[in-house]
Amino acid sequence: MDQQESDIFQRLKTMTLKARIYDKAGIPQKGFSVALRAASLAYNARLLPLLWEAVAAVCRILVSVREFDAAVKLVESVMPQALECEDCELAASLFSCLADGHMGMAGQARAGTLQRKERLTKTSESLDRAFDEYSRIEDIQGQCEMMAKKATIMHLNGDPVLANDCAAKYLDIKRAARERS
């Protein structure tokens, strides 16, 4: 990688992080424009792993502004290519975003309908995949977040036993992390 490619790589990473910061700070509109510029620049530079990271940032922002259907469609369209990169952190982020999108769509569906149940099932599957990816890279915070979300879904599905199992697993992960440090 020459100096110019290295500069573009660093600039794209910074832009993607900046978009995530704007989103977490409650200014998703600014983050959206930064993420789109990062995606465009990554596409033009043919840096596909960074393109998928920028798309993940766009999807996170779409979920933040309650555009769940658009986020799900975008994640599903890039998921096969992103998985080819074999980047566990990226895959975990995309699966987590997919779960959030499905959960948002489930929340918009009427209670007790088949559509809501299907969305909750897809949410649970995506959370499991995200948890597996976070486990591969030993990201304790990511694992805990996925378990907390899964416990919430199990509670919403009216399954307190599974919800308690997920909560116990959450506590086990936290305890094991404290013992390691």
Side-chain angles (χ1 to χ4, degrees), residues 4 30 35 42 44 46 49 52 60 75 77-79 81 101 103 114 121 124 135 147 149 151 156 160 175:
Q4 185 177 7
K30 273 190 166 184
N44 290 335
R46 304 293 187 253
W52 309 140
R60 284 254 164 252
V75 171
S77 70
V78 302
M79 188 66 82
Q81 297 89 343
M103 187 64 192
L114 180 63
T121 300
S124 182
S135 296
M147 274 301 111
K149 287 179 181 181
L156 288 173
R175 190 175 308 115

Side-chain angles (χ1 to χ4, degrees), residues 9-67:
F9 183 86
Q10 293 301 322
R11 183 171 181 214
L12 287 170
K13 276 292 209 187
T14 304
M15 289 173 76
T16 304
L17 289 172
K18 186 176 181 181
R20 290 175 60 189
I21 289 169
Y22 278 135
D23 180 36
K24 289 187 183 283
I27 317 168
Q29 297 83 358
K30 273 190 166 184
F32 187 75
S33 85
V34 172
L36 282 180
R37 281 188 313 206
S40 176
L41 187 58
Y43 176 78
N44 290 335
R46 304 293 187 253
L47 295 171
L48 296 182
L50 291 174
L51 174 60
W52 309 140
E53 283 186 40
V55 169
V58 169
C59 291
R60 284 254 164 252
I61 291 165
L62 288 171
V63 167
S64 291
V65 296
R66 306 179 57 83
E67 290 293 336

